[in-house]
Amino acid sequence: MALKLSNREARRLWLDAQGLSAEPTGKLTAEGLLDIIKHLGFVQLDTIRVVARAHDHILWSRNQNYREPMLHKALADHRHVFEHFTHDASVIPMEIYPHWRRQFRRMGKATSSGNWGSALPTKRVQNAIYKRIEEEGPLCTRDFESNAKKKKAWSRPPHKVALDHMWYAGRLATSHRKNFIKFYDVAERVIPEHLHTDKRDDAAQIDWLCNGALDRLGFGTPSDIQKFWNAATPKEVKIWSDNAGADHVPVEIKGADGGTIAAVAPAEIEARLAALPEPSSRLRIINPFDPVARDRNRLTKLFGFDYRIEIFVPAAKRAYGYYVYPLLEGDRFVGRIEIASDRNANTLTVLNLWGEPGVRPSKARAKKLDAELARLGRLVGAKDIIWNCPRMED
């Protein structure tokens, strides 16, 4: 018989599993940062910096003493993480590397096909690029000249295609980034030897990935589990789920709309529920690529919060704005906010603010938002908060 979870229990379990229950305070060391990334499983990278880049914002949301250089050090200096592809480019705890080999193989195969957008250069060209990196050390795309004419306006130079393919296939690895530009090195010089030589068969990797996803989800459908890492096929996850046996238990989740969601949870789900903490009552500005918001279907089912990022939507067709942040208070999403920072002027500007239906403005909530904006301002060096819209108060 399936264990029944109320909607509130499910929301709180998910938030706690993703590190958003506790107050994001306390000293943050390099090891503490790694613990956060391990807890999350990975952190998605993104180039857009309206306020802070997504990866920096996500980590700051778990500890407000996080500052932007810390992730660079985790990658380039400490080698606590490596970069690769989940749903997008991400940083992943280094200890996961042996379980990621099949993803290198899958992505290597995908990027070798003509469907990837640009034809893959010959092995001779790839090997010449690899040899340069092997002899000269980490290089970026700008270190390679290309006189080849583009066949189409959107096609990429051969050296970029080759570098990307070898990175996806695990032959190259990210050594570091400079001004967010990726520098490639041979994988053996980036990945610790004991991890680079650690080989696991596909069944063991799939089992680890599925269990790791379910542990970080708290509960999930086979689709949720598959989408978490995006490193196994739906068929592979379905086979794993059908054979997991005592490793997980069936649960019925009450959705935000009153419906029921059939899912599975780790075997120790009842102990987790018994130890579930009361979530922090602070109001949090959540990044659009934060794990709790990235899966829009799960977000809607659990919280009744219909959210889409509109960066690719023409301005005239946007429901809200270019880069709008969800607002989380306790275990509810209570609104959304559009903000932008000007790092030269040291300002953070509130452009728009929307409350969710049924959420009443109040001075208490406005005070919480002011406090969160001040904290976010400290992350990006903003000394002044400028309001270009009404506040969230009576």
Side-chain angles (χ1 to χ4, degrees), residues 3-314:
L3 178 67
K4 298 182 186 297
L5 274 69
S6 70
N7 182 248
R8 171 164 282 190
E9 286 177 319
R11 295 197 314 262
R12 292 186 172 189
L13 187 62
W14 172 223
L15 291 170
D16 187 57
Q18 285 298 299
L20 287 175
S21 283
E23 292 285 337
T25 56
K27 182 179 179 181
L28 185 61
T29 63
E31 290 71 24
L33 176 61
L34 177 59
D35 287 341
I36 292 173
I37 300 172
K38 285 180 180 179
H39 190 82
L40 295 174
F42 65 91
V43 176
Q44 183 174 329
L45 300 171
D46 196 72
T47 60
I48 299 172
R49 192 170 72 178
V50 175
V51 176
R53 290 191 172 105
H55 42 279
D56 293 315
H57 190 163
I58 291 166
L59 293 168
W60 172 83
S61 291
R62 274 74 185 173
N63 190 305
Q64 65 188 32
N65 291 312
Y66 172 84
R67 291 297 180 266
E68 293 176 355
M70 291 181 178
L71 185 59
H72 170 79
K73 291 180 180 179
L75 173 72
D77 299 341
H78 305 306
R79 298 298 189 208
H80 283 169
V81 296
F82 69 98
E83 274 193 27
H84 205 248
F85 201 86
T86 55
H87 317 82
D88 211 316
S90 302
V91 290
I92 305 168
M94 189 65 78
E95 65 183 31
I96 294 178
Y97 189 87
H99 308 288
W100 210 252
R101 290 186 176 278
R102 65 189 313 278
Q103 181 73 335
F104 292 131
R105 188 171 69 249
R106 293 173 73 238
M107 295 303 298
K109 182 178 179 180
T111 56
S112 66
S113 69
N115 295 331
W116 195 253
S118 300
L120 182 65
T122 64
K123 283 287 186 182
R124 182 182 64 81
V125 172
Q126 293 178 54
N127 289 337
I129 291 171
Y130 182 90
K131 187 173 179 60
R132 270 198 64 189
I133 294 172
E134 191 175 40
E135 292 177 349
E136 299 177 33
L139 299 175
C140 69
T141 57
R142 296 177 182 179
D143 293 311
F144 296 88
E145 295 293 336
S146 178
N147 296 319
K149 293 183 179 180
K150 292 184 178 181
K151 294 181 179 180
K152 297 180 180 179
W154 47 263
S155 65
R156 295 178 299 151
H159 70 273
K160 289 188 177 181
V161 178
L163 285 167
D164 278 349
H165 168 71
M166 288 188 283
W167 181 83
Y168 282 117
R171 192 179 180 193
L172 297 177
T174 305
S175 166
H176 62 284
R177 285 179 179 265
K178 186 175 182 180
N179 298 324
F180 210 66
I181 297 170
K182 185 191 301 182
F183 281 75
Y184 301 83
D185 201 354
V186 297
E188 292 85 348
R189 292 202 291 242
V190 174
I191 310 301
E193 183 180 3
H194 72 283
L195 295 175
H196 194 267
T197 57
D198 188 344
K199 305 279 179 75
R200 314 285 174 96
D201 63 29
D202 274 20
Q205 291 179 60
I206 291 171
D207 183 62
W208 188 94
L209 290 167
C210 290
N211 278 312
L214 187 58
D215 180 55
R216 291 167 174 86
L217 288 165
F219 58 86
T221 65
S223 177
D224 292 334
I225 294 167
Q226 189 275 326
K227 288 189 293 185
F228 184 83
W229 305 104
N230 199 28
T233 67
K235 182 179 179 180
E236 289 168 337
V237 174
K238 179 66 165 58
I239 292 171
W240 171 85
S241 182
D242 290 344
N243 292 282
D247 289 341
H248 64 224
V249 296
V251 293
E252 287 185 1
I253 308 294
K254 184 68 71 174
D257 62 357
T260 299
I261 305 165
V264 295
E268 71 278 7
I269 179 63
E270 291 185 85
R272 286 196 184 194
L273 288 170
L276 204 56
E278 187 82 11
S280 166
S281 63
R282 73 164 54 195
L283 194 148
R284 300 174 187 259
I285 297 171
I286 299 296
N287 191 273
F289 297 102
D290 192 286
V292 300
R294 183 180 59 244
D295 186 337
R296 314 302 190 206
N297 290 330
R298 186 175 172 97
L299 183 65
T300 302
K301 287 178 181 178
L302 291 181
F303 297 92
F305 186 66
D306 185 11
Y307 175 80
R308 299 291 183 273
I309 190 166
E310 299 181 285
I311 54 178
F312 299 116
V313 177

